[in-house]
Each structure stands twice: as structure tokens, then as C-alpha cells.
Amino acid sequence: MAAAKKAVLGPLVGAVDQGTSSTRFLVFNSKTAELLSHHQVEIKQEFPREGWVEQDPKEILQSVYECIEKTCEKLGQLNIDISNIKAIGVSNQRETTVVWDKLTGEPLYNAVVWLDLRTQSTVENLSKRIPGNNNFVKSKTGLPLSTYFSAVKLRWLLDNVRKVQKAVEEDRALFGTIDSWLIWSLTGGANGGVHCTDVTNASRTMLFNIHSLEWDKELCEFFEIPMKVLPNVRSSSEIYGLMKISHSLKAGALEGVPISGCLGDQSAALVGQMCFQDGQAKNTYGTGCFLLCNTGRKCVFSEHGLLTTVAYKLGRDKPVYYALEGSVAIAGAVIRWLRDNLGIIKSSEEIEKLAKEVGTSYGCYFVPAFSGLYAPYWEPSARGIICGLTQFTNKCHIAFAALEAVCFQTREILDAMNRDCGIPLSHLQVDGGMTNNKILMQLQADILYIPVVKPSMPETTALGAAMAAGAAEGVGVWSLEPEDLSAVTMERFEPQINAEESEIRYSTWKKAVMKSVGWVTTQSSESGIP
């Protein structure tokens, strides 16, 4: 067996996809974009108090090592030589905030996850200091002041965690989003790790000027963030450093491979779906739901509650592209909640079975505003509600209503996108883990009343990171020229109900949303300390 010939495939590219609910490592053939092997590990979320969401940065890093190691083993079993892996890309959950000690490599606190609400009072205090006639935060960053973004999380850590304050005073503290924490750790950590981020992740911190593409002194002063803790900002496609694994890991086989792609997960999915033209859009169904529309080289500011964000910059000398984004906090997370908190399903896949049994929510509506409402409302006071219940309602109807909620929320951000862009989307390109759910995809087509189109390989986030890594200068194994991009096989879902019924259901949903708003006042959320 040892003499069996290794399969010859040409250059391969790996991608670390570190999401909110799981970590994956995937390996692609750079010439065909075919997925060769992957491994996935679920990540624990900690909810130490009401509204708080944390993860352990060391567990996240460990999960990356484990996924790399297991994927390399699987490639070995397929007789694929891992020395063909020529580059690695990183894609990550955005905004989630880590502060660590650069001398020991130890995190100084848990990662504060993007969904976390502890900073609501921080946000309220800061918003009083923004002049009504000059919202310089929004005009520089493209973002509304919200608990969602990193600056307020970092502010909270500096205000409340002594270990963080002390490390900043002693010049030992480094701040980063998950991409920075991973790249720093994978390139050597305390032994020469590279402290960097890319423009897409930087654009989610609220400290980054999306016009000049630099950390903004005025914003850092406003949030009182010392600039010395910030990572260097680089393009999304260039060699940041080489893999240097201090662990006694089998993944040591990737020692010396360049890490050369970095994109926030939603930007990565835009690249993976090949939305390189102005006006092309994709919707990703993960923990949350994110609709991004490429607006080309110009920043478009929304009148309807969308964010303006950096889409990608695929090379040091390449132009920056922008996007409009509709962000929904809770999509796949509602399924995880039905599994872990209510126990009405044992695995996420089971939701499809339950929903199929009834084929309707029977007038039951579920607004999963667990972290308030994001786009298009930006209502931090909202909380989750299930309404329209009768004695007839059972767990199948609630499961169906949860799937509908994902679709209705997408419809709201799609409507906002169509109003901002003036040209309605004729179809919706989708990706992400939940798109394997056929009922969800059909419901989505029915509720939007346009066709929904899904690539047969739904891991577009990882694909985007791999493309950026493989195309980087000095790697050059992946061509992003339109004529070289492989054609993707697609599955289409056409709307099957009449438009009128679609509209009635949607207007009832909006009524339910209004009932979820104004639930929490700051006092009650602050005093919810066990």
C-alpha cells in the first residue's frame, strides 16, 4: 500500500472557515475549484449572563488545529499529497473581539461574540456624544452605532476587565477580530506572530475609515481606543506570513505554507459566489443571515437601514470594492436554540422533518429577536416572541414558523436592498449551511416571489477565502480572470404560491415584528445579573 501512487492534482489551496457555530478546514483544487476534503468541529458558546455571548479563543484556535489535522489525514487516505497545498486562506465570523497578551500568547478574556448585548449602555452613552447634524461615525465607517461592532466591545473590555487594562498600560495587549487572533497564532504567536487584519474585517470594527482605508484617529479618540493595540491593515489577498506551528501537530506538515488570503465570512461568500460585478448579490444562511450586494468601487449609503461595508480588495495594488449589506442576527441560531434550549429537535437536520409534517405554521409567527433586531430596524430593545398560538399549535408549527422567520427576515433586507439600489434583484443567489434544507429554500422562493439559486457546493465562504489565498501575488495558483473561473452547477427553486398569499403572510409577519419591539429598557437588561 505504501507504494501506491499519490494522485496528481496540481496545486491545492486550504481554507480555514471559523464561523460563529463551527470551525472548518477545507481543501480545494485550485484549477477546478473542486472541494477535495474537509473537517468540521462545533464551537461552544457561553452565555454567562442574560444577553452575553462569549467563546473561548483557545478553544477556537484548538478547533482550527484539529480541523487542519483531520483534513490532512483524510487527504492522506485519499492518496492526495498534502505538500501540494500551496496557500491557506482565512475566513471568519466578523466583529467578535479578542484581546490577548503578546508576550505569553494568552487571551486576557473570552472572545466577546458579535451577537453579545452587554454593551447596550455603552452604546447609549456614546450616542449622546454624536452631533445630530454630523454623524461622523456613520459617514466614516458606514455603520450605525450598535452593540454589533467591535469598538464598543473593546471599550467595554477596557472599562471592565482589569487584566485587559493592565496589559494595555504595560504595552502587552493586542486587539484583534478572529482573523487577527488566528493569523497571529498560526504564524508563530508569541514567537514572531504577524499582527494583521484585512480591510473587510477592519471595516467591521467601527474604528476604520472606509474611504481612506486606515484606522481613523478621530474614531479611536471618540471610542478612547489606544491605536497601539490595533493590527496592521492589509489587503484581502497577499502573503501575510508563513504557517509556523509550535504544537507537536501532525498539521506541522503545513509548516512554511503561506497564509495569503483573509476575508470576513460574508465578504468571502461574495467572492466565492463570484459576485465581482456591480449589482451582483448573495445571501448567506449561517448563524445569522447576510445579504451583500456589490456596489463596485463606490460607497453607497443606505436610506433603508443597510450597512455600507468593504466587499474586498484582492491585492495590495488592486482597487477596493464596496458592498451594501443587510444583516440579520438570528437565522441558523434559531434552529440551534430549538435544539439546545427547547429540545424539540435532536439535530439541526430534524427541523425539516417536523416542518414537513404540517406544511404550514398555521398562523403561528416566530420573531427570533434574541439579540434585538438588526437590519432594517436596528432596534436593540426588541426580544424574541412566538405569537398567534392556539391550542392547535404544536412543535411542528413552531419549527415551520422558525424556518419562515428566516425567510421573512431575508425578504425585509431584500426589500431594503431593492429600494436602495433602484433595480430589483431578479433572482437570489444563496449559500451557507442552511441551504441544504429544501423546505427552507422553497419557502424562501415563495416569500420573496423570485427564484432562489443555490450552487451545488454550498461552502462558498471557504471557497472565497481559498480563491483570495491562491490568487495572491507570490502564490499565483488561482486565476480570478472571468474566463478562468469554473462554471458552477446551480439548483433553482421557483416560487410556487400566488403572489397575493405571499403578501398577506408578509404583512402579518410585519405585525408580529412590531409586537417584539420596545420590550427591554436599559435598566432591566443591566439588572439581569444573576
Side-chain angles (χ1 to χ4, degrees):
M1 186 62 211
K5 193 153 164 18
K6 297 269 187 192
V8 180
L9 287 166
L12 312 179
V13 178
V16 172
D17 180 3
Q18 205 299 299
T20 314
S21 56
S22 72
T23 299
R24 305 193 259 297
F25 183 68
L26 305 90
V27 173
F28 295 93
N29 179 334
S30 66
K31 296 298 170 237
T32 62
E34 177 197 1
L35 173 60
L36 299 176
S37 186
H38 67 103
H39 188 75
Q40 178 168 1
V41 173
E42 200 170 291
I43 296 286
K44 275 207 290 294
Q45 309 208 31
E46 297 170 34
F47 307 102
R49 294 182 185 175
E50 216 265 322
W52 292 28
V53 190
E54 297 180 2
Q55 291 176 341
D56 176 355
K58 292 178 81 170
E59 183 198 339
I60 289 175
L61 181 59
Q62 210 38 57
S63 72
V64 169
Y65 288 137
E66 186 183 336
C67 287
I68 291 175
E69 197 174 314
K70 292 283 199 293
T71 304
C72 287
E73 280 172 20
K74 290 177 186 177
L75 288 171
Q77 287 156 10
L78 296 168
N79 262 342
I80 294 169
D81 189 347
I82 57 176
S83 68
N84 284 331
I85 298 176
K86 300 301 180 202
I88 290 170
V90 173
S91 126
N92 56 287
Q93 51 168 321
R94 305 170 303 170
E95 300 95 16
T96 297
T97 298
V98 188
V99 180
W100 67 94
D101 184 322
K102 67 181 175 196
L103 303 181
T104 63
E106 289 294 309
L108 296 165
Y109 194 79
N110 269 345
V112 180
V113 175
W114 56 280
L115 286 165
D116 184 280
L117 298 178
R118 76 188 66 188
T119 53
Q120 188 48 43
S121 56
T122 311
V123 167
E124 284 163 20
N125 294 334
L126 286 165
S127 64
K128 295 183 188 126
R129 295 174 32 210
I130 297 179
N133 59 353
N134 172 23
N135 188 340
F136 65 95
V137 176
K138 188 156 194 218
S139 56
K140 284 176 181 231
T141 65
L143 310 172
L145 191 56
S146 158
T147 58
Y148 180 18
F149 307 107
S150 317
V152 290
K153 301 178 193 297
L154 181 50
R155 182 68 258 144
W156 187 92
L157 290 169
L158 291 167
D159 287 337
N160 293 284
V161 182
R162 184 66 195 121
K163 270 173 84 173
V164 171
Q165 298 161 353
K166 198 162 166 334
V168 170
E169 287 157 18
E170 293 171 9
D171 237 354
R172 289 182 286 114
L174 296 179
F175 152 80
T177 41
I178 295 293
D179 53 308
S180 301
W181 164 242
L182 293 179
I183 291 172
W184 185 82
S185 302
L186 292 171
T187 54
N191 304 315
V194 177
H195 188 218
C196 69
T197 187
D198 88 299
V199 287
T200 68
N201 280 298
S203 77
R204 312 300 292 190
T205 58
M206 248 182 165
L207 300 169
F208 186 69
N209 186 314
I210 60 174
H211 312 284
S212 67
L213 302 184
E214 303 170 319
W215 297 123
D216 189 287
K217 200 162 169 305
E218 187 187 7
L219 290 170
C220 290
E221 281 165 8
F222 176 72
F223 290 104
E224 296 175 66
I225 303 295
M227 292 181 86
K228 63 182 182 187
V229 304
L230 303 177
N232 288 321
V233 183
R234 317 272 287 267
S235 78
S236 314
S237 174
E238 58 177 272
I239 296 175
Y240 312 111
L242 306 182
M243 287 284 278
K244 182 160 130 199
I245 300 181
S246 46
H247 290 56
S248 58
L249 259 199
K250 299 191 192 75
L254 299 183
E255 189 79 25
V257 175
I259 299 178
S260 53
C262 178
L263 289 153
D265 52 9
Q266 302 314 321
S267 285
L270 194 72
V271 171
Q273 285 261 34
M274 325 228 180
C275 296
F276 294 127
Q277 305 298 316
D278 190 345
Q280 284 185 305
K282 66 86 205 170
N283 194 35
T284 301
Y285 299 76
T287 297
C289 218
F290 299 88
L291 176 64
L292 270 72
C293 182
N294 188 331
T295 60
R297 298 183 192 186
K298 56 189 188 303
C299 279
V300 176
F301 283 87
S302 171
E303 301 294 313
H304 301 99
L306 304 179
L307 312 177
T308 304
T309 201
V310 174
Y312 51 79
K313 182 183 192 305
L314 294 172
R316 215 177 297 191
D317 308 321
K318 296 280 194 304
V320 64
Y321 279 72
Y322 295 95
L324 272 174
E325 170 174 318
S327 329
V328 168
I330 304 291
V334 73
I335 314 303
R336 190 165 171 168
W337 183 83
L338 290 174
R339 184 193 74 184
D340 296 349
N341 297 37
L342 289 198
I344 68 172
I345 49 174
K346 290 216 167 37
S347 72
S348 301
E349 292 69 47
E350 253 179 77
I351 187 127
E352 199 167 356
K353 270 216 309 280
L354 285 188
K356 210 179 221 144
E357 272 177 49
V358 284
T360 168
S361 59
Y362 216 85
C364 164
Y365 286 78
F366 188 163
V367 183
F370 300 158
S371 291
L373 287 168
Y374 284 15
Y377 301 100
W378 298 103
E379 261 304 340
S381 66
R383 286 296 177 273
I385 58 165
I386 302 177
C387 52
L389 300 172
T390 65
Q391 280 176 309
F392 183 77
T393 314
N394 64 31
K395 66 180 183 180
C396 298
H397 300 114
I398 290 173
F400 198 95
L403 293 180
E404 277 188 319
V406 173
C407 300
F408 286 131
Q409 292 184 104
T410 296
R411 163 97 190 246
E412 293 188 304
I413 52 180
L414 187 83
D415 283 359
M417 192 74 77
N418 287 341
R419 289 209 286 280
D420 275 324
C421 296
I423 311 155
L425 292 175
S426 58
H427 65 274
L428 183 65
Q429 280 177 243
V430 302
D431 57 80
M434 289 185 88
T435 59
N436 292 324
N437 185 323
K438 295 250 193 297
I439 289 191
L440 179 74
M441 294 294 95
Q442 187 53 54
L443 262 178
Q444 187 66 85
D446 290 345
I447 287 169
L448 296 179
Y449 216 66
I450 56 174
V452 168
V453 183
K454 141 188 203 275
S456 53
M457 200 285 295
E459 299 286 357
T460 46
T461 300
L463 177 60
M467 288 162 67
E473 194 180 329
V475 177
V477 297
W478 203 308
S479 166
L480 300 182
E481 296 306 320
E483 63 275 13
D484 296 327
L485 294 172
S486 351
V488 181
T489 49
M490 296 283 197
E491 188 176 352
R492 271 176 90 85
F493 296 84
E494 301 283 344
Q496 287 174 358
I497 61 172
N498 67 38
E500 194 183 356
E501 188 190 342
S502 184
E503 289 310 313
I504 292 167
R505 276 160 56 181
Y506 184 44
S507 60
T508 314
W509 159 262
K510 286 191 155 159
K511 207 159 83 182
V513 169
M514 294 298 67
K515 296 204 183 306
S516 76
V517 169
W519 195 258
V520 174
T521 55
T522 304
Q523 279 61 45
S524 67
S525 69
E526 293 299 296
S527 60
I529 293 175

